[in-house]
Amino acid sequence: MKWLLIILTSIGLSGCNSTHTITADMRQKVDVTSLFNHSLFALKSVPSEQQIFTLPKQEEEALLTYVERFRGKSVTKDEILGNFLQAKIGHFSYDGETFIASESLNQQSGNCISLAILSQAYANILGIETSYAKVDSFPIYQKNQNFVLTSSHFKTKLITPKEELATLNNRFFFSGTVVDYFPEQDSVFSGNAQYEDLVAKFYTNLAVSALLEADYDMSYSLLSAALKYAPRDAEAINIAALLHKHVGDRNSAKQIYDYAFNNHLTSTNLLLNYLNYIPKDQTNLKNMILAELEKSPTSPFDTLSLASSYIKQQRYKKAKKLIEPLLLNYHYLPEVYVELGKIAYLEQRYQTASEYFEQAVNKSREQYKKDLYTAKQNMLNHLLVRNEDIK
């Protein structure tokens, strides 16, 4: 079981309106879906925006009844909703699934995006404005399918209503409530997000699941929906290119990558994949992509992904040059030590590799990571003993 954590934050929080629209201008400026090979897919039905956030009538009544208890008390609506969510979903289990709000409620579970969706559904009932903090963790590798999936979740920021904030003279520095669903994960803040990003992330998560299950029509339909809300989302664009590749249309995949690169809609993950589509004779373009890659990391996990690509190329010195500076500000992330441990192992510096994996075990907050890195360290220790016996 995982537990919800709620904390108060400072006046610096910013919110977005509870009425959300996608402007025509946003659609016109960027429309990567125009490059989709639509003839390869059949459009399927996906959950509508309204369906995503709709809750049963009794849930709306339960929330309003709960709010009524605090009438006349010096408690803001965001604090009330924070307490309500603590009681309502604090015991939910994490199972990695992306659900609409009503499904999360019925299943008493869901991933971080599912719970952010559910929180937004309750916020809609009270008319509370929201924004989000995007938090990244180490990418998940699906080696059997040749996929690298980025891993991120959202912390929900419930914004104190302006009319209530003005009355809190002695607490004016508080502006809202932050809901962090799984704070024990090894993760870092990577930027702010808004309502449209949440909706897009919902569709993109499901699109990835459909792609992994080879349900290409559904993945196409979900990506089309996601890109209406976040047309500049590099990860959604990357998944769209991979989708075309997996249905055998590498030409459309490359066109999508070309478009993303030319319009500065890139990420480390996207650029690494784009390199696979560049012919050997296009050295200028390849060098441009490589130069962009050097500037692309926006989080330590991006840096580690880039370093991992250098490790595969046996460019260990370059990989270390990227990773070692992370020890200054991100010494608490076990993956930093894991990647350094891999390099040490490949360089046959087994004692150093074992020490790095020991650090990774000590820094890990999640048990499955501790078990994995302990197994790696034990393997290295056996190797060291065997080498000593040979001597």
Side-chain angles (χ1 to χ4, degrees), residues 20 47-56 99-102 113-125 130 132 195-196 198-200 202-203 229:
H20 308 279
S48 68
E49 181 181 351
Q50 182 179 5
Q51 288 173 322
I52 293 171
F53 296 103
T54 297
L55 288 171
F99 295 129
I100 63 174
S102 59
I113 297 302
S114 301
L115 299 187
I117 291 284
L118 183 56
S119 300
Q120 179 67 53
Y122 284 116
N124 289 347
I125 295 171
T130 57
Y132 302 90
Y195 172 88
E196 290 79 12
L198 174 62
V199 179
F202 168 84
Y203 286 126
Y229 287 88

Side-chain angles (χ1 to χ4, degrees), residues 301-313:
F301 301 113
D302 286 339
T303 301
L304 290 171
S305 291
L306 182 56
S308 181
S309 73
Y310 291 136
I311 293 171
K312 290 176 184 176
Q313 299 168 38

